[in-house]
Amino acid sequence: VGEPDNPWFNLHIVSLDTLEDILYYEGMVDDISWVPASNQFAFVSGDPAVILGSLDEPPVVTNLPWNFGMVWVDSQSYLLPEINTANQEYEVFRYSLDGERQHLFNLKSRAATIFDIRP
């Protein structure tokens, strides 16, 4: 939707059973991520903050940070690598949906890092 120089995207939810199409969110939608074992998801729109969605509820804009590389730990928290501008190293934090931030460790490498979270 929009002009080529200023596009935005609408998020639709479509039932595969009934083919009912529901416009869920209007605006820039990027980096959608499903919360493990749930009907919840998260995405970013505009200012990189987490917007929480659910198949059964309207979207909820939060003040939680978002960065590419975010990985869900469970239905209430996610890992997020952030660059420390003082030393240019990545630090990994665990954020909970209630806003708690916990520093876990520093990454000495700037190479792409993939986290694999398993129960």
Side-chain angles (χ1 to χ4, degrees):
V1 180
E3 300 298 320
D5 293 339
N6 189 23
W8 72 88
F9 302 88
N10 292 331
L11 178 60
H12 291 257
I13 296 177
V14 179
S15 166
L16 293 179
D17 295 331
T18 65
L19 300 181
E20 178 185 11
D21 181 349
I22 298 169
L23 176 60
Y24 186 78
Y25 185 84
E26 291 184 85
M28 185 59 114
V29 176
D30 197 7
D31 204 24
I32 296 175
S33 174
W34 285 93
V35 179
S38 76
N39 67 354
Q40 296 178 300
F41 51 93
F43 58 95
V44 65
S45 180
D47 182 16
V50 174
I51 299 176
L52 298 175
S54 172
L55 298 180
D56 306 321
E57 301 290 331
V60 176
V61 179
T62 74
N63 291 323
L64 295 168
W66 184 282
N67 192 0
F68 293 99
M70 183 215 76
V71 177
W72 288 97
V73 174
D74 54 37
S75 65
Q76 295 299 308
S77 63
Y78 59 93
L79 297 183
L80 186 65
E82 298 177 15
I83 192 153
N84 180 324
T85 56
N87 61 17
Q88 296 299 304
E89 291 182 356
Y90 279 94
E91 298 177 283
V92 177
F93 293 90
R94 181 176 182 169
Y95 284 91
S96 65
L97 294 183
D98 62 8
E100 182 180 334
R101 179 181 188 224
Q102 176 188 14
H103 180 265
L104 298 178
F105 55 89
N106 292 354
L107 293 173
K108 299 298 181 186
S109 171
R110 292 186 193 166
T113 302
I114 299 171
F115 299 101
D116 186 8
I117 309 296
R118 297 178 190 220

